Coordinates of all heavy atoms in Angstrom, one line a residue:
E1 N 114.4 72.7 106.6 CA 113.9 74.1 106.2 C 114.8 74.7 105.2 O 114.4 75.3 104.2 CB 113.9 74.9 107.5 CG 113.3 76.3 107.1 CD 113.1 77.2 108.4 OE1 112.9 76.6 109.5 OE2 113.3 78.4 108.3
K2 N 116.1 74.5 105.3 CA 117.0 74.9 104.3 C 116.8 74.3 102.9 O 116.8 74.9 101.9 CB 118.5 74.7 104.7 CG 119.6 75.1 103.7 CD 119.7 76.6 103.5 CE 120.8 77.1 102.7 NZ 121.1 76.4 101.4
R3 N 116.5 73.0 103.0 CA 116.2 72.2 101.7 C 114.9 72.7 101.1 O 114.7 72.9 99.9 CB 116.1 70.7 102.0 CG 117.5 70.1 102.4 CD 117.2 68.7 102.8 NE 118.5 68.1 103.3 CZ 118.5 66.9 104.0 NH1 117.4 66.3 104.3 NH2 119.8 66.4 104.3
F4 N 114.0 73.1 102.0 CA 112.6 73.6 101.5 C 112.8 74.9 100.8 O 112.3 75.2 99.7 CB 111.7 73.8 102.8 CG 110.4 74.4 102.5 CD1 109.4 73.5 102.1 CD2 110.1 75.8 102.6 CE1 108.0 74.1 101.8 CE2 108.9 76.3 102.3 CZ 107.8 75.4 102.0
E5 N 113.7 75.8 101.4 CA 114.0 77.1 100.7 C 114.7 76.9 99.4 O 114.4 77.5 98.4 CB 114.9 77.9 101.7 CG 114.2 78.3 103.0 CD 115.0 79.1 103.9 OE1 116.2 79.2 103.6 OE2 114.5 79.5 105.0
D6 N 115.7 76.0 99.4 CA 116.4 75.8 98.2 C 115.6 75.2 97.1 O 115.7 75.5 95.9 CB 117.6 74.7 98.5 CG 118.7 75.4 99.3 OD1 118.8 76.6 99.4 OD2 119.5 74.6 99.9
S7 N 114.6 74.3 97.5 CA 113.7 73.7 96.5 C 112.8 74.8 95.9 O 112.6 74.8 94.6 CB 112.7 72.7 97.2 OG 113.6 71.6 97.7
I8 N 112.3 75.7 96.6 CA 111.5 76.8 96.0 C 112.3 77.7 95.1 O 111.9 78.0 94.0 CB 110.9 77.6 97.2 CG1 109.8 76.9 97.9 CG2 110.2 78.9 96.6 CD1 109.1 77.6 99.0
K9 N 113.5 78.0 95.6 CA 114.4 78.8 94.7 C 114.7 78.0 93.4 O 114.8 78.7 92.3 CB 115.7 79.1 95.4 CG 115.5 80.0 96.6 CD 116.8 80.3 97.4 CE 116.7 81.2 98.5 NZ 117.9 81.4 99.4
W10 N 114.9 76.8 93.4 CA 115.2 76.0 92.2 C 114.0 76.0 91.3 O 114.2 76.2 90.1 CB 115.4 74.5 92.6 CG 115.8 73.6 91.5 CD1 117.0 73.5 90.8 CD2 114.8 72.7 90.8 NE1 116.9 72.5 89.8 CE2 115.5 72.1 89.7 CE3 113.5 72.4 91.0 CZ2 115.0 71.2 88.9 CZ3 112.9 71.5 90.1 CH2 113.6 70.9 89.1
L11 N 112.8 75.9 91.8 CA 111.6 75.9 90.9 C 111.5 77.3 90.3 O 111.1 77.4 89.1 CB 110.4 75.6 91.8 CG 110.1 74.2 92.2 CD1 109.0 74.1 93.2 CD2 109.9 73.3 91.0
V12 N 111.7 78.3 91.0 CA 111.6 79.7 90.5 C 112.7 80.1 89.6 O 112.4 80.5 88.4 CB 111.6 80.7 91.7 CG1 111.5 82.2 91.1 CG2 110.3 80.4 92.5
Q13 N 113.9 79.8 89.9 CA 115.1 80.2 89.2 C 115.4 79.3 88.0 O 115.8 79.8 86.9 CB 116.3 80.4 90.1 CG 116.1 81.4 91.1 CD 117.2 81.5 92.2 OE1 118.2 80.7 92.1 NE2 117.1 82.3 93.3
E14 N 115.3 78.1 88.2 CA 115.7 77.1 87.2 C 114.5 76.7 86.2 O 114.7 76.6 85.0 CB 116.3 75.8 87.8 CG 117.5 76.0 88.6 CD 118.7 76.5 87.8 OE1 118.7 76.1 86.5 OE2 119.5 77.3 88.3
K15 N 113.4 76.5 86.8 CA 112.2 76.1 86.0 C 111.2 77.2 85.7 O 110.3 77.0 84.9 CB 111.4 75.0 86.7 CG 112.2 73.7 86.9 CD 112.7 73.2 85.6 CE 113.5 72.0 85.7 NZ 114.0 71.4 84.3
K16 N 111.5 78.4 86.2 CA 110.7 79.6 85.9 C 109.1 79.4 86.0 O 108.4 79.9 85.3 CB 111.0 80.0 84.4 CG 112.4 80.1 84.0 CD 113.2 81.1 84.8 CE 114.6 81.2 84.3 NZ 115.5 82.1 85.2
V17 N 108.8 78.8 87.2 CA 107.4 78.6 87.4 C 106.7 79.8 87.8 O 107.4 80.8 88.3 CB 107.2 77.5 88.5 CG1 107.8 76.2 88.1 CG2 107.8 77.9 89.8
K18 N 105.4 79.9 87.5 CA 104.7 81.1 87.9 C 103.9 81.0 89.1 O 103.1 82.0 89.5 CB 103.8 81.5 86.7 CG 104.5 81.8 85.4 CD 105.5 83.0 85.6 CE 106.2 83.4 84.3 NZ 107.1 84.5 84.5
G19 N 103.9 79.9 89.7 CA 103.1 79.7 91.0 C 103.6 78.4 91.6 O 104.1 77.5 91.0
I20 N 103.5 78.4 93.0 CA 104.0 77.2 93.8 C 102.9 76.8 94.7 O 102.3 77.5 95.4 CB 105.3 77.6 94.5 CG1 106.4 77.9 93.6 CG2 105.6 76.6 95.6 CD1 107.8 78.2 94.3
T21 N 102.8 75.5 94.8 CA 101.9 74.8 95.7 C 102.6 73.6 96.3 O 103.8 73.4 96.0 CB 100.5 74.4 95.0 OG1 99.7 73.9 96.0 CG2 100.8 73.2 94.0
G22 N 101.9 72.8 97.1 CA 102.5 71.7 97.7 C 101.6 70.5 97.6 O 100.4 70.6 97.4
D23 N 102.1 69.3 97.8 CA 101.3 68.1 97.7 C 100.7 67.6 99.0 O 100.4 66.4 99.2 CB 102.1 67.0 97.0 CG 103.2 66.3 97.8 OD1 103.5 66.9 98.9 OD2 103.8 65.3 97.4
C24 N 100.7 68.5 100.0 CA 100.1 68.2 101.4 C 99.4 69.4 101.8 O 100.0 70.5 101.9 CB 101.2 67.7 102.3 SG 100.6 67.6 104.1
G25 N 98.2 69.3 102.2 CA 97.4 70.5 102.6 C 98.0 71.1 103.9 O 97.8 72.3 104.1
F26 N 98.7 70.3 104.7 CA 99.3 70.9 105.9 C 100.5 71.8 105.6 O 101.0 72.4 106.6 CB 99.6 69.8 106.9 CG 98.5 69.2 107.5 CD1 98.2 67.8 107.4 CD2 97.6 69.8 108.4 CE1 97.1 67.2 108.0 CE2 96.5 69.3 108.9 CZ 96.3 67.9 108.7
M27 N 100.9 71.8 104.4 CA 102.0 72.8 104.1 C 101.5 74.2 104.1 O 102.3 75.2 104.0 CB 102.5 72.5 102.6 CG 103.4 71.3 102.6 SD 104.3 71.2 100.9 CE 104.7 69.5 100.9
M28 N 100.2 74.4 104.4 CA 99.7 75.7 104.7 C 100.4 76.3 105.9 O 100.5 77.5 106.0 CB 98.2 75.6 105.0 CG 97.5 76.8 105.4 SD 97.2 77.8 103.9 CE 95.9 78.9 104.4
N29 N 101.0 75.4 106.8 CA 101.8 75.9 107.8 C 103.0 76.6 107.4 O 103.6 77.4 108.2 CB 102.1 74.8 108.8 CG 101.0 74.3 109.6 OD1 100.3 75.1 110.3 ND2 100.7 73.0 109.7
F30 N 103.5 76.3 106.2 CA 104.7 77.0 105.7 C 104.4 78.0 104.6 O 105.3 78.4 103.9 CB 105.7 75.9 105.2 CG 105.9 74.7 106.2 CD1 105.7 73.4 105.8 CD2 106.2 75.0 107.4 CE1 106.0 72.4 106.7 CE2 106.5 74.0 108.4 CZ 106.4 72.7 108.0

């Protein structure tokens, strides 16, 4: 979960993405 949070922060802060999705439909749980 900590790695999940860090990954999202990296995408937002480092790559400046404007939207986030996942490569598994069950990530809807998160």
Side-chain angles (χ1 to χ4, degrees):
E1 184 173 328
K2 178 63 166 57
R3 293 170 182 166
F4 180 85
E5 294 176 357
D6 290 342
S7 296
I8 290 180
K9 291 177 181 177
W10 180 83
L11 287 170
V12 175
Q13 297 171 6
E14 298 297 326
K15 295 303 180 181
K16 311 299 182 185
V17 301
K18 296 300 184 182
I20 291 179
T21 188
D23 69 350
C24 172
F26 287 117
M27 284 191 197
M28 181 74 162
N29 284 311
F30 308 131

